[in-house]
Amino acid sequence: MTSHPHTDQRVAIVTGGSRGIGREVARRLAADGLAVVVGYAGNDKAAEESVRTIEEAGGTAFAARADVAEEAEVAALFDRAESTYGGIDVVVHAAGRMPLSPLVDLDLADLDAVCRTNIRGTFVVDQQAARRLRPGGAIVNFSTSVLGLSFPGYGAYAATKGAVEALTLILARELRGREVTVNAVAPGPTATDLFLDGKDEETVARLAAQPPLERLGTPDDIARVVSFLAGPDGRWVNGQVLRANGGIV
Ligand SMILES: NC(=O)c1ccc[n+]([C@@H]2O[C@H](COP(=O)([O-])OP(=O)(O)OC[C@H]3O[C@@H](n4cnc5c(N)ncnc54)[C@H](OP(=O)(O)O)[C@@H]3O)[C@@H](O)[C@H]2O)c1
């Protein structure tokens, strides 16, 4: 029989918890007192570092590899969370990818791949969350402020996040009576591998200058917003897309 040593502790799954925004969300939720499952795609070392950071600060976590688009892998990750910690209260779905290309040059294989991770991945993760979250729970998906900004080159990526926003608002309504909130956070440019990779200094500086607050977002800026939505102070926020971007328009 599996024992559940943390039965009073709330439990969070963070997909994409090995790097970037997801890693900081995992660290923050653990600091908030939740036991955390750090989901990741393949970067074992980064996932282990994420867990070590949490444990060194006195938190509870383990890492679990699962491609978010693979139903069996995601179901196994949720099973492991339940058998280890006794249940699941919060699912933060931060895993995502961002190929950039003008539409005219877009490789349709890249389109299929980004749709698979960003759209199918959100359906798979949110389906498991919808089936399993305990009352008082919260689902937080990730969109992007690029949906409002319409930057050239972001067509495929923004299209997938449009799908994420649509599903988020509909799932919030489908979960009537369950005491589970469903929201999305839509960051603006945030200093992570996903944003920085492939951009020269000038491009990064130009994007950093755009918000009235005149800097890039940090993973910590976004983790604070997720902490609010996942915690007691955010319970009345449901079916919303929260644009956390320093006021970029
Ligand atoms: N950074 C920004 O400027 C920005 C702006 C708006 C929205 N967002 C959104 O915020 C979220 C987090 O982005 P980020 O910047 O933190 O990205 P990141 O630094 O590139 O990290 C991506 C994370 O997702 C995981 N991942 C990727 N594909 C996966 C898959 N198929 N299955 C499971 N895990 C997968 C990676 O795992 P491995 O470590 O194993 O590869 C990694 O932990 C994304 O949804 C992104 O679209 C980011």
Side-chain angles (χ1 to χ4, degrees):
M1 203 176 84
T2 312
S3 66
H4 304 308
H6 304 281
T7 42
D8 291 339
Q9 194 174 24
R10 294 180 86 227
V11 176
I13 292 172
V14 182
T15 72
S18 50
R19 289 188 289 121
I21 292 170
R23 180 192 282 210
E24 188 56 25
V25 167
R27 192 203 61 74
R28 173 61 196 253
L29 293 183
D32 289 347
L34 286 81
V36 176
V37 179
V38 172
Y40 69 105
N43 196 330
D44 300 312
K45 196 161 166 277
E48 283 160 20
E49 279 170 16
S50 178
V51 169
R52 196 176 328 119
T53 304
I54 289 170
E55 289 178 340
E56 282 172 3
T60 304
F62 69 83
R65 182 175 178 157
D67 180 341
V68 291
E70 289 293 335
E71 182 183 15
E73 293 182 19
V74 173
L77 183 151
F78 275 70
D79 286 346
R80 229 182 119 193
E82 287 179 328
S83 63
T84 307
Y85 297 134
I88 304 160
D89 304 285
V90 172
V91 170
V92 181
H93 176 42
R97 41 192 291 158
M98 186 178 75
L100 298 182
S101 169
L103 177 64
V104 284
D105 301 324
L106 180 66
D107 181 336
L108 294 177
D110 290 344
L111 175 68
D112 290 344
V114 71
C115 286
R116 183 172 170 78
T117 298
N118 292 8
I119 300 180
R120 182 184 160 89
T122 302
F123 276 80
V124 170
V125 170
D126 282 13
Q127 188 173 52
Q128 292 297 324
R131 289 174 181 166
R132 305 193 201 215
L133 251 58
R134 296 189 284 213
I139 298 172
V140 181
N141 289 325
F142 269 82
S143 179
T144 171
S145 289
V146 162
L147 267 184
L149 297 167
S150 303
F151 288 153
Y154 285 74
Y157 174 67
T160 67
K161 295 299 189 175
V164 171
E165 291 198 9
L167 175 64
T168 300
L169 305 194
I170 289 168
L171 183 58
R173 285 146 185 87
E174 290 182 353
L175 294 188
R176 171 180 291 275
R178 287 277 306 279
E179 283 294 321
V180 170
T181 62
V182 188
N183 294 290
V185 177
T190 306
T192 68
D193 296 344
L194 177 137
F195 170 74
L196 295 168
D197 281 357
K199 292 191 176 73
D200 57 31
E201 260 180 51
E202 194 191 327
T203 306
V204 171
R206 183 171 45 77
L207 289 166
Q210 285 200 2
L213 297 183
E214 294 190 315
R215 64 172 176 82
L216 292 178
T218 66
D220 177 61
D221 289 324
I222 308 305
R224 287 168 186 265
V225 175
V226 174
S227 167
F228 166 71
L229 291 173
D233 291 347
R235 292 309 299 166
W236 196 234
V237 181
N238 188 26
Q240 305 298 320
V241 178
L242 208 163
R243 303 202 182 282
N245 57 26
I248 196 170
V249 284

